[in-house]
Amino acid sequence: PWAVTAKPDSCQQSLQLLEKMLNNPPVPVSALGETGLDHGRRIDPSTWGLQAEAFRVQIRLAHRHNLPMVLHIVSAHEEALNILRSEKLPHNPGMVHAFGGSFEQASHYLKLGFHISFCGTVVDPKRRKIRRAVAMIPEDRLLVETDSPDQTPITRRPAPNEPAFLIDIISAIADIRGDQATHVAKTTSRNAERLFCKHAHE
């Protein structure tokens, strides 16, 4: 959605280019994204309508090519869910990236078949809503990520985020769920492979 905000005049052209590339991909494609809605404070509300239009187009492309989506949803879960419910989704819909909402919000994505991915915010004990969601997500829908270079775990600030910091995220999730870190690492790796890797070789 940030691309829509930055270049609204070229949105249609970019979507047409995306469709052309998916029809004849220059490299193996494993997912479509990031796509979604961003109604955060830094985003001009006048772009919300165009964001929704672009989101619908990308959902339809993902369905047509049976690609999982990587969703970027900020302060717009209700709107995003309404759009997702009104469209046909891929067989494996994808993941909600850098999820920062409540378990109640996550449960609606789970019902649609999405995985929920957590980043460095889960390391902060003050983020109780997110940590409660971490505790309640079904194991087979749990993913981890860095969201680099943003969302640096509090244990690593002020450095920019990087993949090496996944160990902090996995350790925090293990503590929250009462699991071993090795178990969380293996489980989330297996979930990611099941969701994404088969598409890259089709």
Side-chain angles (χ1 to χ4, degrees):
W2 285 8
V4 171
T5 302
K7 300 178 180 179
D9 294 338
S10 63
C11 180
Q12 190 62 39
Q13 183 180 354
S14 296
L15 290 170
Q16 291 171 352
L17 177 60
L18 175 61
E19 182 173 14
K20 182 179 179 180
M21 292 177 69
L22 288 174
N23 288 334
N24 186 24
V27 296
V29 177
S30 58
L32 189 153
E34 297 175 25
T35 182
L37 303 175
D38 193 322
H39 294 181
R41 289 176 293 179
R42 294 180 290 176
I43 305 300
D44 184 350
S46 68
T47 68
W48 291 3
L50 189 56
Q51 285 187 40
E53 292 176 25
F55 188 26
R56 287 187 183 277
V57 170
Q58 291 173 88
I59 294 170
R60 292 166 190 169
L61 287 172
H63 176 260
R64 190 179 311 154
H65 294 274
N66 196 28
L67 289 170
M69 294 176 286
V70 177
L71 299 186
H72 170 112
I73 312 295
V74 177
S75 302
H77 289 294
E78 183 176 353
E79 296 88 341
L81 286 161
N82 286 338
I83 291 174
L84 290 165
R85 292 185 186 113
S86 70
E87 298 285 346
K88 293 181 179 179
L89 303 179
H91 176 67
N92 288 319
M95 64 179 256
V96 186
H97 128 91
F99 184 73
S102 65
F103 175 72
E104 288 72 22
Q105 290 169 327
S107 67
H108 295 294
Y109 291 106
L110 293 171
K111 288 177 183 177
L112 292 173
F114 283 93
H115 290 62
I116 308 297
S117 183
F118 296 95
C119 61
T121 52
V122 304
V123 179
D124 187 349
K126 296 179 181 177
R127 302 296 293 268
R128 295 178 182 176
K129 179 176 68 174
I130 298 172
R131 288 165 68 92
R132 178 174 176 268
V134 167
M136 299 180 72
I137 297 295
E139 186 174 271
D140 65 345
R141 301 289 191 87
L142 181 67
L143 294 174
V144 294
E145 63 174 299
T146 59
D147 193 19
S148 299
D150 301 318
Q151 307 287 2
T152 304
I154 58 172
T155 48
R156 304 283 185 165
R157 294 174 187 169
N161 208 7
E162 60 178 87
F165 300 163
L166 268 176
I167 188 61
D168 295 47
I169 298 165
I170 289 169
S171 295
I173 289 175
D175 288 343
I176 293 166
R177 294 174 68 92
D179 288 330
Q180 295 292 320
T182 52
H183 176 75
V184 173
K186 290 177 180 178
T187 299
T188 53
S189 294
R190 184 169 59 246
N191 291 345
E193 289 170 3
R194 187 178 65 248
L195 179 60
F196 294 121
C197 289
K198 75 183 189 72
H199 297 277
H201 298 100
E202 290 179 349

